[in-house]
């Protein structure tokens, strides 16, 4: 008997990417194997995002294409999971009756089970949980089996949900309240990853800076004499001290919760990379207040300055929204000023898109005209790329340690590596270099979004196992 096959398509952020690794792991643990293409898959999983306005269009566009495929192959199962599934629930099956399974963000661990249950039931199954139990070990994606696409680097979930109330953000509604994973569980997973050859980990959470506050609060309520505080700086130290870990990254922090002890940990733990992603969102205090961000532009710049003072060679990236409801020309000029003063290495810039269920989506009368948003977006791009290019040019002549990622996607004759500052460097190598190896490269050129260089030497070979495809008996 030929084993059934699966395909997972992912939309959205690193959290969704990590969830998809776990969904793939669960399906493989249930006996399925990866399909070469969606046309060959017996089970197709769409792991959805609902952060951007076109998320719905992407989902239903993909479902429309799969409908034609399912008409030819009626036994194929179509599964929708993730944030949009958590939000839309039964609406997905109502709009696309050919969908077999819908599950949300709180029951990823049930993915393979639901596929099996639907196969037996012969009807669509929609299972959405309202929240995650704080003591449910399986609620954290990192606690589940995984099939990582990259064997030398890994995401590690430290926290799920979010307790903030940003007016533009749907995440609290679809991911639930903030729950921190057990400290020792995280360290144990990192140690297991190292044993498997991983040398770089990225700690994931919606607001990693507040990691552990709920854990210490629970201990306090249980009668222990402990101070209620975040444990993120402690976690950075513990993970950075795991033998075999060369690089530790994290995302995403919240500026209001960036504490001095976290900056000290970044500065003093050698494995923690010199890269800080610090979402600004807007440079106008009026807009920041309307967004419920909990800081002013001045406070943001003070914390950024403190981080740069402690970590002189710090790379800083950010997120900025253009055209938040009610944003005036003066508000936007303030955003340009802060972006210029911050001198970012890179920025993810977005034109505001309303998400149903968020506070900002109800401010229809204050929506900024599309043509104004487009013009502002272009002006912001110029400011960000100017500072990015300047910071990249300042690195010309420097020797950088890079982790090899493989051939360049745009030019296979070039090898791509990533620096500790999270910058891509393209260079030529006399022979293919295995992904996951480390090398030293001299920076010879700069562009707004990458560096070019010359290979000096390989400093450490990759340690992870190479996957060997195994034929399935028929």
């Amino acid at each position: 008997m030929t084993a059934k096959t699966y395909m997972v398509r992912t939309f959205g952020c690193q959290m969704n990417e990590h969830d998809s690794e776990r969904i793939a792991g669960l399906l493989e643990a249930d006996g399925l194997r990866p399909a070469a293409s969606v046309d060959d898959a017996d089970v197709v999983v769409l792991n959805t995002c609902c952060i951007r306005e076109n998320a719905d269009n992407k989902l239903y566009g993909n479902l429309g294409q799969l409908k034609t495929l399912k008409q030819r192959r009626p036994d194929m199962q179509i599964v929708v999971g993730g944030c949009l599934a958590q939000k839309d629930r039964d609406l997905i099956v109502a709009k696309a009756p050919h969908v077999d399974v819908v599950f949300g963000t709180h029951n990823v661990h049930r993915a393979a089970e639901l596929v099996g249950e639907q196969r037996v039931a012969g009807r669509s199954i929609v299972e959405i949980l309202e929240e995650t139990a704080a003591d449910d070990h399986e609620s954290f994606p990192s606690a589940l089996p995984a099939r990582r696409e990259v064997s030398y680097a890994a995401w590690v979930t430290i926290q799920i949900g979010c307790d903030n109330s940003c007016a533009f953000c749907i995440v609290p509604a679809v991911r639930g309240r903030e729950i921190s994973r057990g400290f020792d569980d995280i360290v144990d997973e990192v140690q297991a990853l190292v044993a498997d050859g991983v040398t770089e980990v990225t700690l994931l959470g919606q607001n990693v800076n507040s990691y552990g506050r709920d854990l210490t609060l629970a201990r306090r309520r249980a009668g222990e004499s402990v101070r209620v505080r975040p444990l993120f700086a402690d976690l950075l130290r513990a993970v950075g001290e795991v033998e075999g870990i060369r690089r530790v990254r994290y995302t995403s922090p919240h500026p209001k919760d960036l504490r001095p002890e976290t900056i000290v940990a970044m500065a003093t733990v050698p494995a923690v990379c010199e890269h800080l992603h610090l979402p600004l969102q807007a440079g106008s205090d009026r807009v920041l207040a309307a967004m419920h961000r909990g800081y002013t532009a001045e406070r943001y710049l003070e914390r950024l300055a403190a981080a740069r003072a402690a970590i002189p060679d710090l790379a800083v990236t950010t997120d900025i929204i253009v055209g938040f409801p009610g944003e005036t020309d003066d508000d936007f000029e303030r955003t340009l000023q802060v972006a210029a003063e911050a001198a970012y290495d890179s920025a993810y810039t977005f034109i505001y898109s309303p998400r149903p269920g968020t506070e900002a989506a109800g401010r229809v009368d204050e929506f900024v005209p599309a043509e104004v948003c487009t013009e502002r977006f272009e002006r912001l791009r110029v400011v960000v790329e100017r500072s990015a290019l300047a910071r990249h040019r300042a690195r010309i002549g420097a020797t950088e340690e890079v982790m090899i990622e493989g051939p360049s996607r745009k030019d296979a004759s070039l090898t791509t590596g990533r620096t500790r500052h999270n910058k891509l460097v393209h260079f030529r190598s006399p022979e293919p270099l295995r992904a996951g190896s480390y090398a030293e490269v001299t920076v010879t050129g700069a562009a707004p979004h990458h560096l070019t260089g010359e290979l000096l030497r390989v400093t450490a070979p990759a340690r992870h196992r190479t996957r060997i495809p195994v034929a399935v008996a028929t």
Side-chain angles (χ1 to χ4, degrees), residues 46 65 83 85 152 175 248 289 314 345-346 357 394 414 432 442 468:
L46 304 181
Q65 296 170 9
C83 294
Y152 50 85
R175 289 278 178 179
V248 178
L314 182 68
D345 291 74
S346 179
L414 296 176
T442 298
I468 301 175

Side-chain angles (χ1 to χ4, degrees), residues 154-222:
W155 290 308
V156 176
T157 300
I158 68 170
Q159 169 196 73
I160 58 176
C162 183
D163 288 344
N164 292 309
S165 56
C166 298
F168 55 81
C169 188
I170 192 69
V171 167
V174 295
R175 289 278 178 179
R177 63 190 176 92
E178 198 170 285
I179 302 174
S180 298
R181 188 178 175 197
F183 194 100
D184 292 341
D185 287 346
I186 297 169
V187 177
D188 288 347
E189 184 188 355
V190 173
Q191 291 172 337
L193 288 168
V194 170
D196 200 34
V198 168
T199 59
E200 175 182 300
V201 293
T202 300
L203 307 180
L204 287 181
Q206 299 296 340
N207 180 16
V208 292
N209 291 137
S210 64
Y211 166 79
R213 184 183 287 122
D214 56 330
L215 299 179
T216 54
L217 178 60
R219 290 173 58 191
R220 180 71 170 268
R221 286 174 173 168

Side-chain angles (χ1 to χ4, degrees), residues 80-333:
V80 179
C83 294
L84 191 57
Q86 185 74 28
K87 180 176 76 73
D88 282 1
R89 307 182 179 212
D90 297 281
L91 181 62
I92 292 174
V93 174
K95 285 186 174 182
H98 55 289
V99 171
D100 297 291
V101 176
V102 178
F103 65 89
T105 57
H106 303 301
N107 57 338
V108 171
H109 60 283
R110 286 266 292 151
E113 295 173 10
L114 290 170
V115 168
E117 289 175 14
Q118 191 282 328
R119 196 177 296 129
V120 173
R123 56 175 175 77
S124 297
I125 293 178
V126 179
E127 182 179 284
I128 303 293
L129 304 184
E130 294 302 326
E131 64 178 358
T132 298
D135 58 352
D136 184 356
H137 180 72
E138 290 186 333
S139 65
F140 291 94
S142 292
L144 303 172
R147 186 187 191 279
R148 299 194 314 275
E149 292 302 317
V150 176
S151 300
Y152 50 85
W155 290 308
V156 176
T157 300
I158 68 170
Q159 169 196 73
I160 58 176
C162 183
D163 288 344
N164 292 309
S165 56
C166 298
F168 55 81
C169 188
I170 192 69
V171 167
V174 295
R175 289 278 178 179
R177 63 190 176 92
E178 198 170 285
I179 302 174
S180 298
R181 188 178 175 197
F183 194 100
D184 292 341
D185 287 346
I186 297 169
V187 177
D188 288 347
E189 184 188 355
V190 173
Q191 291 172 337
L193 288 168
V194 170
D196 200 34
V198 168
T199 59
E200 175 182 300
V201 293
T202 300
L203 307 180
L204 287 181
Q206 299 296 340
N207 180 16
V208 292
N209 291 137
S210 64
Y211 166 79
R213 184 183 287 122
D214 56 330
L215 299 179
T216 54
L217 178 60
R219 290 173 58 191
R220 180 71 170 268
R221 286 174 173 168
E224 293 187 45
S225 180
V226 296
R227 181 165 62 92
V228 176
R229 65 181 183 90
L231 300 173
F232 185 61
D234 299 343
L235 184 65
L236 281 179
R237 293 184 187 280
V239 171
E241 290 171 359
V242 172
E243 186 175 356
I245 282 293
R246 294 178 66 114
R247 293 182 174 183
V248 178
R249 304 185 187 277
Y250 64 87
T251 193
S252 287
H254 195 298
K256 73 177 176 60
D257 294 317
L258 181 61
R259 298 166 66 94
E261 57 264 35
T262 297
I263 295 174
V264 171
M266 290 184 67
T268 57
V269 179
V272 178
C273 292
E274 299 84 1
H275 170 225
L276 175 63
H277 184 72
L278 197 63
L280 171 66
Q281 304 300 5
S284 159
D285 289 348
R286 194 184 71 83
V287 174
L288 287 170
M291 289 178 168
H292 307 315
R293 290 293 289 172
Y295 55 85
T296 63
E298 181 181 10
R299 185 61 173 153
Y300 176 94
L301 290 171
E302 286 175 354
R303 295 195 173 185
L304 178 56
R308 281 182 166 148
I311 313 164
D313 197 21
L314 182 68
V316 181
T317 56
T318 196
D319 299 331
I320 301 176
I321 296 173
V322 172
F324 184 79
E327 181 186 71
T328 64
D329 289 340
D330 180 67
D331 290 327
F332 179 68
E333 289 296 333

